[in-house]
């Protein structure tokens, strides 16, 4: 309660103190990682496990255009899902409601309808992604195929922490820490978001007391919020590393489907960068436009919109 009475100057002071603390903690972590990587045993470990292991024979090379599109569309949906989900949590007195045609008692707020509509699109996009992933062999890039993934992931973590970036070429193979992170995101976090979201949604059978008792609403809510935090942290770290480890090269890989098998090859153009900037503009415009005045006409196509 007392924090709510902070003045703007006090909030600035708190922000400065927190920033200094974070920087000091980060500097201490880098120093510790550099000291650790200088030990003989650790140095031998890093040489034995450089951070990545060879992919299976026949693994595809490069990132196809469909994967770049999936990456953009998923980012587009995730930003809108997270922002609309946050609005749902903060919404106390909705002004606009939506209900299915002929079922006025199933009325819900327009914000919740928008959030759930985005979820459906996200699930459809995810299903297409998983099908194409296994149909094209791209799954070998994000699904571990060797137990060596774990020591290599630890090696990559030490190298990242010491700011001595692991030698890698995302066009050919992700390092093991990336692979585990992508695997967890696609095959653990996404399913958890789905099963918890269904429990929280209007699709859940409200009259089924046994199912509701076996899968409590609060448990699903905690899972859903935890997964949302995971996605936010993942996105922040992912974007930061994309720019810190070679922005033009990495953006060309994912947005322009351009790359080279030579990890030392320089980025030849700015195509991927400008496509990334365009995608950020599209996402920003969509996030700003996601207001009742814009959403209501769309929602009316699928049901009835009413105002309080």
């Amino acid at each position: 309660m007392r924090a709510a009475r902070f003045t703007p100057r006090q909030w600035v002071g708190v922000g400065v103190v927190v920033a200094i603390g974070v920087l000091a903690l980060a500097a201490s972590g880098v120093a510790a990682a550099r000291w650790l990587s200088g030990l003989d045993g650790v140095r031998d470990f890093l040489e034995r496990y450089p951070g990545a292991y060879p992919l299976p024979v026949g693994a595809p090379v490069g990132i196809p255009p469909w994967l770049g599109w999936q990456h953009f569309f998923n980012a587009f949906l995730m930003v809108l899902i997270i922002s609309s989900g946050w609005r749902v949590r903060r919404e106390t007195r909705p002004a606009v409601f939506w209900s299915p045609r002929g079922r006025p008692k199933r009325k819900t707020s327009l914000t919740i309808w928008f959030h759930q509509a985005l979820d459906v699109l996200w699930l459809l996009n995810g299903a297409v992604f998983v099908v194409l992933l296994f149909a094209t062999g791209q799954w070998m890039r994000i699904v571990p195929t060797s137990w060596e993934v774990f020591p290599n992931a630890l090696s990559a973590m030490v190298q990242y922490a010491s700011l001595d970036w692991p030698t890698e070429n995302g066009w050919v193979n992700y390092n093991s820490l990336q692979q585990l992170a992508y695997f967890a995101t696609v095959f653990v976090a996404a399913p958890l978001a789905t099963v918890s979201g269904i429990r929280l949604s209007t699709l859940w059978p409200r009259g089924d007391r046994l199912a509701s008792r076996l899968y409590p609403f609060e448990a699903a809510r905690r899972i859903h919020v935890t997964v949302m935090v995971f996605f936010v942290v993942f996105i922040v770290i992912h974007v930061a590393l994309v720019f810190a480890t070679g922005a033009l090269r990495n953006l060309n890989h994912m947005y322009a489907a351009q790359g080279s098998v030579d990890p030392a090859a320089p980025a030849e153009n700015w195509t991927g960068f400008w496509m990334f900037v365009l995608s950020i503009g599209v996402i920003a415009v969509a996030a700003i436009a996601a207001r009742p005045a814009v959403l209501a006409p769309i929602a009316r196509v699928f049901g009835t919109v009413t105002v309080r």
Side-chain angles (χ1 to χ4, degrees):
M1 292 296 293
R2 299 181 62 183
R5 294 196 294 268
F6 277 9
T7 65
R9 180 175 295 181
Q10 288 173 325
W11 277 116
V12 171
V14 170
V16 170
V17 171
V18 170
I20 293 175
V22 170
L23 288 176
L25 184 63
S28 299
V30 171
R34 286 186 174 276
W35 170 79
L36 186 65
S37 60
L39 300 177
D40 291 339
V42 176
R43 190 183 305 114
D44 293 340
F45 175 81
L46 296 178
E47 291 178 356
R48 181 178 179 183
Y49 300 104
Y53 63 92
L55 293 180
V57 176
V61 175
I63 298 175
W66 68 262
L67 189 53
W69 160 254
Q70 285 276 328
H71 182 268
F72 158 72
F73 194 46
N74 183 71
F76 175 86
L77 292 174
M78 283 301 299
V79 170
L80 294 180
I81 286 172
I82 292 172
S83 62
S84 62
W86 182 249
R87 289 197 199 105
V88 169
R89 286 183 59 82
R90 297 183 62 188
E91 192 174 54
T92 55
R93 289 180 58 83
V96 186
F97 297 88
W98 177 90
S99 59
R101 286 193 181 89
R103 304 180 66 186
K105 292 185 179 181
R106 298 289 292 182
K107 183 170 65 173
T108 186
S109 78
L110 183 64
T111 307
I112 293 177
W113 172 84
F114 180 54
H115 184 71
Q116 293 182 173
L118 291 169
D119 289 339
V120 172
L121 291 176
W122 182 69
L123 289 174
L124 291 174
N125 185 63
V128 172
F129 170 74
V130 171
V131 169
L132 291 175
L133 198 69
F134 285 95
T136 62
Q138 288 286 333
W139 66 270
M140 287 181 274
R141 295 168 59 88
I142 67 171
V143 176
T145 56
S146 169
W147 290 110
E148 290 189 1
V149 67
F150 295 109
N152 274 293
L154 180 59
S155 173
M157 185 182 300
V158 172
Q159 293 175 67
Y160 276 127
S162 64
L163 299 184
D164 183 17
W165 308 125
T167 301
E168 61 184 42
N169 184 5
W171 186 251
V172 178
N173 187 11
Y174 295 127
N175 69 53
S176 293
L177 191 59
Q178 288 175 305
Q179 188 179 59
L180 288 176
Y182 296 151
F183 176 83
T185 301
V186 174
F187 296 104
V188 179
L192 284 175
T194 301
V195 297
S196 59
I198 291 175
R199 175 62 181 91
L200 301 177
S201 75
T202 57
L203 299 176
W204 186 262
R206 299 177 183 178
D208 193 331
R209 295 183 179 180
L210 177 61
S212 297
R213 188 165 55 250
L214 292 175
Y215 191 10
F217 181 91
E218 282 302 316
R221 189 181 67 82
R222 285 193 292 270
I223 293 172
H224 209 63
V225 172
T226 301
V227 173
M228 182 202 70
V229 172
F230 170 83
F231 279 133
V232 171
V233 172
F234 172 82
I235 291 170
V236 171
I237 295 176
H238 176 61
V239 173
L241 289 178
V242 164
F243 280 89
T245 59
L248 291 183
R249 182 181 67 250
N250 293 332
L251 293 175
N252 269 341
H253 288 175
M254 187 53 70
Y255 283 89
Q258 298 177 3
S260 171
V261 295
D262 180 7
E268 297 180 355
N269 58 66
W270 289 66
T271 305
F273 173 81
W274 291 117
M275 293 179 70
F276 167 75
V277 171
L278 177 61
S279 73
I280 294 298
V282 171
I283 293 173
V285 169
I288 295 172
R291 296 293 184 268
V294 176
L295 298 178
I298 301 173
R300 287 193 183 98
V301 176
F302 305 94
T304 303
V305 175
T306 55
V307 179
R308 179 185 293 276

